[in-house]
Amino acid sequence: MHLSLPMIRNRAAVALLTILALATCCVIAYARFGPPRIGDARILLASLTGRAVGAPGGDVVASRLRPASGFEVSLYAEDVPLARWLQITRAGDLVVARTRAGEVMLLGRDRDGDGRADERRILLTGLDGPHGLAIRDGWLYVAEKTAVGRVRFDEQAGAASGAYEHVITGLTADGNHVTRTIGFGPDGMLYLSQGSTCNVCEEKDPRRATMMRFAPDGTQGEIYATGLRNSVGFDWAPWDGALYATENGRDLLGDDFPPDELNRIERGAFYGWPYVNGFNVLDPDLGRGHDSLLATAKRPVHGFRAHNAPLGIVFLRSPALPPGYERAAIVALHGSWNRSVPDGYKLVSLHWRDDGSIDERDFLSGFLGEPGVIGRPAGVAEGPDGAVYVADDFAGAIYRVAPRR
């Protein structure tokens, strides 16, 4: 796939507008909360320029990163700049979306047992912000900013073939939150999340800040759930098939409000944004006159600390896991960019109790410390062997967290 000159100019204009929007947010945050710490400054610079800081060495991984009891962590692949989202194949290969590079690549499974990916191969290039990935019936699906495409894909060979074709088109990419996430549900339908254009506003496009659902060929599209400001990650619980999605709450209401969220997504439900935040608190800007929503908007099933930015989520399914992970999910907390004291930057495990309540525990921490931030977890995937793979779009690395042998 090649880019024409008009396409390049258009993307350059969009990139410039994005940088200006981020710069405006930075100025507002500075005015409200004061100057950022060094770790935040590096994060803002990486966000504005799209440049990674480089993967930490094996000694830093061993000394800084702290996995949960019963697990061990290793650097699975380095020099994968802008690695954002992951999809595991049935053969154990990793498909990686390098969103800001416009590329989807494959990291070959570890055949020689050295704990590293054995090969890397480019599957698709010249894409428009590829993010969400899904594999179904011999197709590799890719969610771009304004479309969803697919290409024939052999999971055993780890190879794509034939023409890349769009099955969903016409999505809007103005404003903020331009990554799209996809996944196939137990019903065989393709689910697509699309974030809002803004921090807080009333959208003109009814598809923004929603979860949508389509047939695999892109037909039968419908808006499935609304009021979801930016649900970047979602997955289905294996014990009952319920759909859960992470949610990034709005900014500029202080360090500790509103909480980021985990929502149980139900068809036709409204989840509050932009009128209601967190556990049904009226928004100070747009909540006036919407008191009735306090009783009808779906409340989160779990709250994360404000600005922790939960992104990827994967429910654990492997029988090789240590006891205590039978009803659990792993969530990547990308970390704050606008808190006066940085927070997040880790993986957490969520554990469902019999009464439906959820317990949150650290699963992989140490990305945030005195020398500064060394990584920002984004996408997560579970391998056939029970290992959890983590994409770090700040350091350009893939980590592997596996049950201790």
Side-chain angles (χ1 to χ4, degrees), residues 374-400:
I374 63 169
R376 303 189 75 189
V380 289
E382 183 187 31
D385 58 353
V388 174
Y389 295 87
V390 187
D392 179 346
D393 62 352
F394 185 64
I398 309 292
Y399 305 96
R400 180 177 183 267

Side-chain angles (χ1 to χ4, degrees), residues 68-71 88 234-240 242 244 312-332 347-352 359 361-364 380-390 401-403:
S69 177
F71 292 86
I88 198 84
F234 56 88
D235 195 13
W236 288 262
W239 58 86
D240 63 3
Y244 291 87
I313 179 173
V314 61
F315 280 94
L316 301 178
R317 295 168 168 84
S318 172
L321 295 167
Y325 288 87
E326 295 80 12
R327 288 163 58 97
I330 303 300
V331 175
L347 299 185
V348 295
S349 57
L350 302 181
H351 302 259
W352 272 252
D359 179 33
R361 310 170 193 167
D362 283 359
F363 186 73
L364 181 65
V380 289
E382 183 187 31
D385 58 353
V388 174
Y389 295 87
V390 187
V401 187

Side-chain angles (χ1 to χ4, degrees), residues 82 139 250 258 276 341:
L82 309 176
W139 294 96
R250 63 159 294 182
V276 175
V341 178

Side-chain angles (χ1 to χ4, degrees), residues 64-356:
R64 281 279 302 265
L65 300 188
R66 299 180 296 276
S69 177
F71 292 86
E72 56 189 5
V73 60
S74 61
L75 183 62
Y76 188 69
E78 54 191 322
D79 193 23
V80 193
L82 309 176
R84 174 77 173 189
W85 216 248
L86 302 175
Q87 174 67 47
I88 198 84
T89 74
R90 284 180 293 182
D93 297 326
L94 271 180
V95 181
V96 183
R98 297 181 58 228
T99 302
R100 298 184 69 165
E103 179 180 284
V104 174
M105 67 182 299
L106 181 134
L107 294 176
R109 57 193 177 275
D110 177 19
R111 297 174 184 270
D112 58 14
D114 67 349
R116 295 291 190 108
D118 281 1
E119 62 172 321
R120 56 185 68 198
R121 188 184 320 142
I122 304 302
L123 298 177
L124 295 165
T125 61
L127 302 180
D128 186 15
H131 189 261
L133 302 165
I135 298 172
R136 185 80 169 190
D137 297 331
W139 294 96
L140 169 63
Y141 288 75
V142 182
E144 301 179 69
K145 289 180 181 179
T146 62
V148 175
R150 66 182 184 179
V151 67
R152 282 293 180 186
F153 184 68
D154 184 333
E155 286 193 73
Q156 292 304 314
S161 62
Y164 177 76
E165 62 182 38
H166 283 144
V167 294
I168 300 171
T169 58
L171 302 174
T172 54
D174 54 314
N176 303 333
H177 307 140
V178 295
T179 60
R180 313 285 173 250
T181 307
I182 53 175
F184 280 95
D187 57 2
M189 300 290 278
L190 178 65
Y191 289 71
L192 166 66
S193 65
Q194 181 170 226
S196 67
T197 62
C198 59
N199 180 36
V200 58
C201 66
E202 294 179 327
E203 296 286 1
K204 295 179 180 179
D205 182 348
R207 299 169 300 176
R208 298 303 290 260
T210 70
M211 180 78 71
M212 292 173 276
R213 185 173 73 166
F214 300 83
D217 63 359
T219 61
Q220 304 177 43
E222 65 170 320
I223 294 176
Y224 191 80
T226 59
L228 298 164
R229 179 178 177 271
N230 193 27
S231 289
V232 180
F234 56 88
D235 195 13
W236 288 262
W239 58 86
D240 63 3
L243 172 59
Y244 291 87
T246 60
E247 168 80 340
N248 285 231
R250 63 159 294 182
D251 297 314
L252 305 180
L253 293 180
D255 275 0
D256 301 313
F257 185 82
D260 289 332
E261 304 172 4
L262 180 73
N263 289 301
R264 178 170 172 152
I265 306 300
E266 299 176 5
R267 187 178 186 183
F270 173 68
Y271 289 84
W273 187 88
Y275 310 111
V276 175
N277 296 306
F279 291 89
N280 288 15
V281 177
L282 285 176
D283 186 83
D285 295 320
L286 294 183
R288 184 184 297 272
H290 295 279
D291 300 68
S292 61
L293 294 177
L294 296 177
T296 59
K298 284 284 185 181
R299 293 166 60 91
V301 296
H302 179 72
F304 302 98
R305 287 169 60 86
H307 312 301
N308 273 201
L311 299 185
I313 179 173
V314 61
F315 280 94
L316 301 178
R317 295 168 168 84
S318 172
L321 295 167
Y325 288 87
E326 295 80 12
R327 288 163 58 97
I330 303 300
V331 175
L333 302 182
H334 202 222
S336 62
W337 65 271
N338 61 349
R339 271 184 115 255
S340 59
V341 178
D343 197 15
Y345 308 97
K346 60 184 176 181
L347 299 185
V348 295
S349 57
L350 302 181
H351 302 259
W352 272 252
R353 302 189 184 98
D354 292 339
D355 64 0

